[in-house]
Amino acid sequence: EAALEFLNMGSLKGKTVAVQGIGNVATPLIQFLFEKEVKKVVACDIYPHVIKEIRDIIDNRNLETYIVNQNDLSIFSRECDIFAPCATGGILNPITIPLIKAQIICGSANNQLEDSSRDDKDLFEKGIVYVPDFLTNRLGSVYSANEQYGFVKNDPLLEMHLSRSNENSIYNTTLKILNESKSTKTPPGQVALKIAEKLSYENHPIFGHRGKLIIDSIIASKWHELPLVDWKIPV
């Protein structure tokens, strides 16, 4: 959505999105896209059972799915506004980039650029807005890093990353990177790396009163009202 705003393309409503790979991230992504009233989602995967599962979960005539083999590059050349790589890495390279018709690339796959310098530059010169994968995937890293502090339902420390009111949210950071990329004529991946390098020297914040948050979350879930389970420990 931040990339759409950057390009003055409005909202997701009425847009067409091509999704490569249908897995644990792409499935809720597709659900989210239809909640935002996209015009169409085209999704592919190499596994037939995955295609069947997504059709069972999402019953929408505007969802087109098809099976591909590992050498099938057809998803890159689909007419769409946004291309979302959600499968394997290294898929943006000198062979696939010329095929892309989308104006925006924003997906969950790790290490999407085969060569981070070369391919970031090629996308930039072609006028395709690339949202760096480690930015779109940020919550995965944050969740893993914060796991040691205990689980809290609707965790405010996670929700802040999705809030547009937070200066450092994913949305606002994306806009910051894309605007700096435009003003400095630097590919967005390089801008993001520079920001990430700077932030890597900052100390991790100390979360005060985390224990109370966890207890409040457990009470709110009414866990204490659930029926007792007769646990049998094997001897």
Side-chain angles (χ1 to χ4, degrees), residues 1-7 104-105 124 128-132 135 171-189 191-192 195:
E1 290 178 295
L4 287 170
E5 180 177 326
F6 172 74
L7 291 175
I104 297 169
I105 297 177
F124 183 69
I128 297 173
V129 171
Y130 166 65
V131 181
L135 175 55
Y171 183 90
N172 288 323
T173 301
T174 300
L175 280 177
K176 178 181 178 180
I177 288 170
L178 295 181
N179 283 318
E180 184 172 333
S181 170
K182 180 180 179 180
S183 64
T184 62
K185 295 181 172 55
T186 305
V191 174
I195 293 174

Side-chain angles (χ1 to χ4, degrees), residues 28-214:
L29 168 63
I30 294 171
Q31 291 175 310
F32 170 80
L33 290 171
F34 281 121
E35 288 173 5
K36 292 292 184 175
E37 300 181 16
V38 296
K39 178 182 178 181
K40 184 177 183 178
V41 174
V42 181
C44 67
D45 202 281
I46 61 174
Y47 298 111
H49 73 275
V50 172
I51 298 291
K52 182 182 182 304
E53 287 172 3
I54 193 71
R55 302 299 317 193
D56 290 341
I57 295 171
I58 303 175
D59 181 18
N60 192 306
R61 62 185 179 86
N62 295 318
L63 171 61
E64 177 188 339
T65 57
Y66 66 103
I67 302 168
V68 295
N69 60 51
Q70 292 182 333
N71 298 317
D72 190 329
L73 303 179
S74 60
I75 192 69
F76 292 93
S77 58
R78 295 299 296 255
E79 294 284 352
C80 61
D81 301 290
I82 303 166
F83 173 52
C86 297
T88 187
I91 49 89
L92 299 174
N93 53 56
I95 295 175
T96 59
I97 290 174
L99 303 176
I100 297 172
K101 296 181 179 179
Q103 293 179 265
I104 297 169
I105 297 177
C106 181
S108 65
N110 293 318
N111 304 314
Q112 295 168 22
L113 303 174
E114 186 177 77
D115 183 298
S116 59
S117 297
R118 177 196 66 199
D119 302 325
D120 191 24
K121 182 173 180 288
D122 286 351
L123 288 168
F124 183 69
E125 291 178 347
K126 192 179 178 184
I128 297 173
V129 171
Y130 166 65
V131 181
D133 48 51
F134 56 87
L135 175 55
T136 59
N137 279 338
R138 188 170 87 182
L139 265 181
S141 300
V142 171
Y143 188 88
S144 298
N146 289 357
E147 195 171 22
Q148 61 183 315
Y149 301 109
F151 174 79
V152 174
K153 188 175 182 180
N154 299 322
D155 193 341
L157 296 177
L158 296 179
E159 294 293 328
M160 62 184 284
H161 293 273
L162 302 175
S163 171
R164 296 192 184 188
S165 62
N166 186 299
E167 178 185 358
N168 297 311
S169 67
I170 294 174
Y171 183 90
N172 288 323
T173 301
T174 300
L175 280 177
K176 178 181 178 180
I177 288 170
L178 295 181
N179 283 318
E180 184 172 333
S181 170
K182 180 180 179 180
S183 64
T184 62
K185 295 181 172 55
T186 305
Q190 300 305 309
V191 174
L193 283 171
K194 183 183 71 174
I195 293 174
E197 176 70 14
K198 180 181 178 181
L199 291 173
S200 70
Y201 288 96
E202 294 186 9
N203 292 327
H204 191 288
I206 297 174
F207 301 136
H209 310 295
R210 185 67 173 175
K212 184 178 185 303
L213 274 177
I214 294 172

